[in-house]
Amino acid sequence: MKYLPINNSLFKENRDNFTKLLPNDSVAVFFSNDQQPRNGDQYFPYRQQSDFFYLTGINQENSILVIAPDIKTENLRESLFIVKTNEQIAIWEGHKHTWEEARDISGIQNIFWIDDFDLIFKEIMISTTNVYLNRNEYPKFFPDVKDRNHRLGNKIRKDFPLHTFNRSAPLITKLRVVKSDLEVKLMKRACNITGKAFERVLSYAKPGKYEFEVQAEITHEFLMSRANGHGYEPIIASGKNTCVLHYTENDKICRDGDLLLFDFGAEYANYSADMSRTIPVNGKFTSRQKECYSAVLRVLKKAKKLYIPGNTINIVNSEVNMMMEEEIIKLGLIKTEDVKNQDKDNPLFKKYFMHGTAHFLGLDVHDVGSKEDKFKPGMVLTCEPGLYIPEENIGIRLENDILITENYPVDLMESIPIEIEEIEELMNR
Ligand code: GLY
Ligand code: MN
Ligand code: MN
């Protein structure tokens, strides 16, 4: 991996915390992600299943973790299964973990070859009753392709129909949603790399550059800084594309007088940053662009104050909706009288600000956790108000990543340029 080694105490603690949540006489099984086929004999770049990484630190495919804290055989209480390499694999695919390396990375002492999984797993299963299987329980996400936890979990249910089956997802979500100090450190690094890439772009972007050329500058900075790459498909949108929320074509030319909206985040040690910035292609905002930009920036600054223990994503979203509604009225886009008579289920401001303001962030850009979860110290969320006026070719989103603490919100992107004057100054240096 490109990132610097992580102290395995992180993964040990994660496993200990998970184990504490298991009732007596339980076994939990976690599968690594599939290698996703692309075409012909090619795979997409490998990315580990986030829960699997959280509990092991292992980024290798075809791996299984089994946690069975109460079984008599001591060396089967925590087992990691990995592929046994051979000369062919070594020549064609490269190095795979040895037992020692897997031990070192994960802190798990009992490593086995995956070829022995069926035999050893049966031994574990016949001395336990409650089985915990993992699923991707992300709401409103229905992929056609079933992942390994889904497929192999179903196989376990079929092979051992008389056991009791339970969901690991609620337990692991409860843990992942609150970040440890070490995780926050990794996330800060992802944010800093993202900031460096943005500063690089400020001195690069100008009329005539293609969006993908700007993207190349960002990717260059990421890789030079030991990031895995992008935490999600980056949005580099100029002109009217600033109003397309999930624009990722990134193939247009940046034109004089237009805005350029970025939404990108480095993934460092599998932790993602998530940042949005909007800049004038020619280095100088027009007065209307300034007016709109200032409205969004004001809301961002006010909204950040809501990131305190006890609040929820739902609270932040509805408060920010009100702030944006007020700004949208001030910008002359909707009228106070019309707002008074509007359909409450379909408020007028939604024409110009149609997405939520906050989501959890961590190993996944849209990380685990629900909109009703009360904020607690250690949680990291995004704050991302936006304003989209297609008829004026103006789309603006500003997004920073905020750490909840006991006392006050900590903006992990505080030092990344955002004020109009500093952006103009850096672009014209
Ligand atoms: N980059 C995805 C988001 O902002 O939610
Ligand atoms: Mn976001
Ligand atoms: Mn974003």
Side-chain angles (χ1 to χ4, degrees), residues 232 263 274-276 384 397 399:
Y232 53 92
D263 188 339
D274 185 4
M275 183 199 75
S276 300
E384 47 181 308
R397 182 162 62 256
E399 176 176 26

Side-chain angles (χ1 to χ4, degrees), residues 288-345:
R288 178 62 172 169
Q289 288 168 351
K290 248 186 207 170
E291 210 181 3
C292 296
Y293 188 98
S294 305
V296 180
L297 183 55
R298 261 195 305 275
V299 171
L300 175 75
K301 286 177 181 172
K302 267 209 272 179
K304 282 200 292 192
K305 298 191 181 135
L306 297 167
Y307 289 64
I308 51 171
N311 271 347
T312 63
I313 288 180
N314 279 335
I315 293 174
V316 169
N317 281 345
S318 68
E319 294 275 321
V320 171
N321 283 349
M322 292 306 96
M323 294 177 202
M324 277 311 304
E325 182 177 76
E326 201 184 311
E327 294 289 354
I328 289 167
I329 294 172
K330 278 200 261 169
L331 288 167
L333 295 164
I334 56 177
K335 293 200 179 74
T336 316
E337 310 87 81
D338 296 338
V339 169
K340 277 187 194 139
N341 302 320
Q342 71 189 355
D343 171 4
K344 290 272 174 296
D345 295 329

Side-chain angles (χ1 to χ4, degrees), residues 180-377:
S180 64
D181 292 347
L182 186 45
E183 286 182 290
V184 169
K185 239 171 146 171
L186 298 171
M187 292 188 73
K188 272 187 189 156
R189 192 150 182 158
C191 290
N192 291 344
I193 295 170
T194 305
K196 266 168 61 183
F198 179 57
E199 289 189 29
R200 190 181 176 94
V201 156
L202 284 176
S203 56
Y204 179 83
K206 54 171 87 56
K209 297 281 186 201
Y210 279 91
E211 293 161 352
F212 56 77
E213 291 181 291
V214 178
Q215 180 176 340
E217 290 293 305
I218 297 165
T219 308
H220 174 94
E221 189 65 49
F222 282 4
L223 294 180
M224 294 300 281
S225 306
R226 293 183 173 272
N228 300 345
H230 293 265
Y232 53 92
E233 269 309 291
I235 297 170
I236 319 290
S238 63
K240 65 175 171 27
N241 301 314
T242 56
C243 297
V244 182
L245 297 183
H246 291 156
Y247 174 83
T248 51
E249 287 160 16
N250 304 349
D251 60 354
K252 310 295 182 306
I253 203 159
C254 303
R255 297 189 191 282
D256 200 355
D258 277 351
L259 289 172
L260 180 56
L261 183 152
F262 305 100
D263 188 339
F264 61 81
E267 183 181 275
Y268 180 80
N270 295 13
Y271 286 86
S272 191
D274 185 4
M275 183 199 75
S276 300
R277 287 290 184 273
T278 310
I279 64 170
V281 167
N282 64 12
K284 190 108 187 70
F285 288 97
T286 65
S287 61
R288 178 62 172 169
Q289 288 168 351
K290 248 186 207 170
E291 210 181 3
C292 296
Y293 188 98
S294 305
V296 180
L297 183 55
R298 261 195 305 275
V299 171
L300 175 75
K301 286 177 181 172
K302 267 209 272 179
K304 282 200 292 192
K305 298 191 181 135
L306 297 167
Y307 289 64
I308 51 171
N311 271 347
T312 63
I313 288 180
N314 279 335
I315 293 174
V316 169
N317 281 345
S318 68
E319 294 275 321
V320 171
N321 283 349
M322 292 306 96
M323 294 177 202
M324 277 311 304
E325 182 177 76
E326 201 184 311
E327 294 289 354
I328 289 167
I329 294 172
K330 278 200 261 169
L331 288 167
L333 295 164
I334 56 177
K335 293 200 179 74
T336 316
E337 310 87 81
D338 296 338
V339 169
K340 277 187 194 139
N341 302 320
Q342 71 189 355
D343 171 4
K344 290 272 174 296
D345 295 329
N346 196 13
L348 296 171
F349 75 83
K350 283 218 180 271
K351 184 175 171 204
Y352 301 102
F353 174 49
M354 60 299 273
H355 58 73
T357 297
H359 57 80
F360 289 108
L361 181 71
L363 287 169
D364 293 303
V365 62
H366 294 165
D367 209 40
V368 293
S370 99
K371 290 183 178 167
E372 290 87 35
D373 284 345
K374 285 206 159 60
F375 294 171
K376 283 190 205 147

Side-chain angles (χ1 to χ4, degrees), residues 50-102:
S50 293
D51 299 322
F52 194 88
F53 178 82
Y54 183 78
L55 295 170
T56 66
I58 295 286
N59 283 301
Q60 195 164 281
E61 74 288 352
N62 212 354
S63 313
I64 307 173
L65 169 70
V66 182
I67 299 177
D70 301 325
I71 64 166
K72 289 219 176 69
T73 323
E74 215 170 298
N75 75 341
L76 294 182
R77 288 183 186 159
E78 207 175 63
S79 323
L80 179 65
F81 296 83
I82 57 172
V83 279
K84 185 177 184 176
T85 189
N86 59 38
E87 223 171 286
Q88 277 306 93
I89 296 177
I91 289 171
W92 287 84
E93 293 179 34
H95 180 73
K96 302 281 169 189
H97 292 318
T98 61
W99 282 12
E100 290 69 31
E101 284 166 352

